[in-house]
């Protein structure tokens, strides 16, 4: 990076994913990256960039999740256990669960592992289209927070944090503003 070596893989072989990750600090401005490959055959090379996590603890958890194999059974049990997690209140999987957040059926085939882990550790990092939280200010100045699920000429239906739907008459609404915060709470990894 900018003429300084930041990563070297001495034993050429199949890329293993998480083990081939490395970090580098990049400041604002232009930079250049050069890659030297010493192979007899055409190399299979790819590069992706990502911002570091908000905290060292999150970066550690991310690293652990990427270098260890997971358990589908334990993940499923946790997803459906309302005492240990709240996932099923808002998310749907295999026709079970809520409809506030994105449907997670087959999510492992649609997104990379790093994206999925980051989405749990930092829900505000990337909020999918159609799931951005809104703050609805009513005529009496009370505020209601949720995700727009359905809108007609006369009503607005919001998905709430508890997984329930709330119908509001539009004649009671003073203002609707978009929020940069996800309805999915932070700190779920602590559960």
């Amino acid at each position: 990076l900018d003429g300084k070596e930041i990563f070297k893989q001495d034993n050429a072989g199949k890329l293993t994913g998480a083990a081939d990750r490395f970090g580098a600090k990049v400041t604002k401005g232009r930079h250049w990256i050069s890659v030297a490959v010493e192979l007899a055959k055409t190399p299979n090379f790819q590069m992706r960039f990502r911002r570091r996590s908000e905290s060292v603890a999150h970066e550690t958890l991310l690293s652990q999740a990427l270098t260890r194999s997971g358990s589908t059974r334990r993940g499923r049990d946790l997803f459906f256990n309302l005492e240990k997690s709240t996932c099923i209140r808002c998310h749907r999987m295999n026709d079970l669960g809520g409809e506030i957040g994105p449907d997670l059926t087959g999510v492992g085939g649609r997104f990379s592992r790093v994206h999925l882990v980051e989405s749990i550790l930092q829900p505000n990092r990337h909020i999918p289209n159609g799931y951005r939280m809104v703050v609805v200010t009513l005529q009496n100045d009370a505020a209601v927070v949720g995700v727009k699920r359905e809108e007609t000429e006369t009503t607005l239906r919001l998905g709430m944090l508890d997984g329930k739907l709330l119908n509001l008459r539009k004649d009671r609404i003073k203002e609707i503003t978009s929020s940069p915060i996800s309805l999915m709470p932070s700190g779920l990894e602590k559960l």
Side-chain angles (χ1 to χ4, degrees):
L1 174 65
D2 297 331
K4 295 179 184 172
E5 186 175 283
I6 57 172
F7 178 74
K8 184 174 184 176
Q9 183 182 28
D10 290 325
N11 52 348
K14 184 179 177 186
L15 295 178
T16 59
D20 299 315
R21 296 178 190 278
F22 58 91
K25 186 172 183 174
V26 180
T27 58
K28 187 175 180 178
R30 292 185 145 210
H31 299 277
W32 58 273
I33 296 174
S34 66
V35 178
V37 181
E38 296 177 14
L39 294 174
K41 297 180 181 178
T42 304
N44 179 7
F45 177 79
Q46 56 181 274
M47 185 182 304
R48 294 184 186 183
F49 297 90
R50 62 173 278 280
R51 284 188 332 266
R52 284 194 177 272
S53 299
E54 295 172 341
S55 69
V56 173
H58 281 173
E59 202 62 29
T60 301
L61 287 171
L62 176 70
S63 177
Q64 290 172 351
L66 296 176
T67 56
R68 298 177 182 171
S69 60
S71 166
T72 306
R73 182 190 51 76
R74 285 182 61 212
R76 186 181 306 111
D77 290 348
L78 182 61
F79 179 86
F80 289 111
N81 186 332
L82 273 173
E83 291 178 21
K84 292 186 178 179
S85 78
T86 57
C87 305
I88 194 168
R89 284 187 182 158
C90 296
H91 294 283
R92 192 165 198 76
M93 189 167 26
N94 298 330
D95 297 327
L96 295 172
E99 297 182 24
I100 307 305
D103 186 329
L104 300 181
T105 306
V107 73
R110 295 192 312 266
F111 296 100
S112 69
R113 198 172 194 180
V114 68
H115 176 82
L116 296 174
V117 175
E118 285 177 344
S119 295
I120 294 168
L121 294 176
Q122 296 175 252
N124 301 324
R125 188 173 181 132
H126 172 74
I127 302 171
N129 290 336
Y131 297 98
R132 184 160 299 280
M133 191 166 64
V134 294
V135 178
V136 178
T137 306
L138 303 176
Q139 294 296 343
N140 65 1
D141 291 327
V144 180
V145 177
V147 175
K148 279 187 185 181
R149 297 313 318 142
E150 187 179 334
E151 187 171 4
T152 68
E153 283 185 33
T154 58
T155 62
L156 174 65
R157 179 178 256 189
L158 292 179
M160 310 301 287
L161 184 58
D162 61 5
K164 296 179 181 171
L165 294 169
L166 174 66
N167 291 312
L168 296 171
R169 289 191 348 237
K170 283 193 169 177
D171 62 357
R172 294 185 58 213
I173 296 173
K174 182 192 275 186
E175 180 182 37
I176 301 173
T177 55
S178 182
S179 171
I181 306 298
S182 173
L183 190 62
M184 185 167 146
S186 297
L188 291 174
E189 73 281 0
K190 294 173 186 164
L191 297 174

